[in-house]
Amino acid sequence: MNQEVCSMDTKRISNLTRLFQENKDVFIALGDETRLHIIIEMLKLASINPNCEGIRVGKICKISNLSRPAISHHMKYLKDSGIIKVNKKGTMNFYYLDADSRLNNIIHILKESIEICNERKK
């Protein structure tokens, strides 16, 4: 392997390291089984009712059998990581998955990681 290729690999891996760091809150948010369950339930509801404005915490409590404080804690994680957003109507909060969320960053990071691994096999 020549020096130019090694330098390019070093830059790619350095960039990938930076991207992992910048998005670690998303990985942490996705690393919890309860939060994954919430995301899946939100996807199910969105597929049933595409015009849905979001889901309220009370509904998530019913489908997950978790307390309101527990759900609020997990929703805060998901919201802070940029995976979900909130639509406020008066005193009601409707949570929804953000189609343009930071999940796209995770997809890019994983694709780049796969490319680097596959190039190393050659």
Side-chain angles (χ1 to χ4, degrees):
M1 194 180 274
N2 67 34
Q3 194 170 4
E4 188 177 305
V5 173
C6 284
S7 175
M8 194 167 80
D9 279 354
T10 303
K11 286 179 185 175
R12 283 177 74 192
I13 291 171
S14 176
N15 184 49
L16 198 54
T17 302
R18 179 184 55 76
L19 290 171
F20 269 111
Q21 274 296 73
E22 289 173 0
N23 291 280
K24 72 179 180 183
D25 57 334
V26 180
F27 284 104
I28 291 169
L30 294 173
D32 183 90
E33 195 172 328
T34 301
R35 289 191 282 273
L36 288 177
H37 176 69
I38 291 169
I39 291 169
I40 290 166
E41 292 301 325
M42 291 177 81
L43 286 168
K44 285 179 188 176
L45 289 170
S47 70
I48 293 168
N49 184 2
N51 297 324
C52 179
E53 59 192 340
I55 184 171
R56 300 203 51 217
V57 170
K59 176 81 171 173
I60 299 169
C61 290
K62 287 178 187 173
I63 59 178
S64 67
N65 294 319
L66 291 172
S67 69
R68 182 175 286 278
I71 293 297
S72 293
H73 166 77
H74 289 295
M75 296 307 281
K76 180 175 176 7
Y77 249 97
L78 293 169
K79 192 173 126 205
D80 289 350
S81 70
I83 296 171
I84 64 168
K85 291 196 174 180
V86 64
N87 180 19
K88 295 183 180 207
K89 287 196 171 182
T91 59
M92 298 184 294
N93 293 329
F94 295 89
Y95 294 92
Y96 63 96
L97 293 166
D98 182 16
D100 298 319
S101 74
R102 291 178 57 206
L103 290 175
N104 288 318
N105 294 347
I106 301 306
I107 292 167
H108 170 74
I109 291 167
L110 296 175
K111 282 182 178 178
E112 182 71 12
S113 299
I114 290 167
E115 281 181 31
I116 290 170
C117 289
N118 286 336
E119 289 170 8
R120 300 246 183 239
K121 289 180 184 178
K122 294 177 184 177

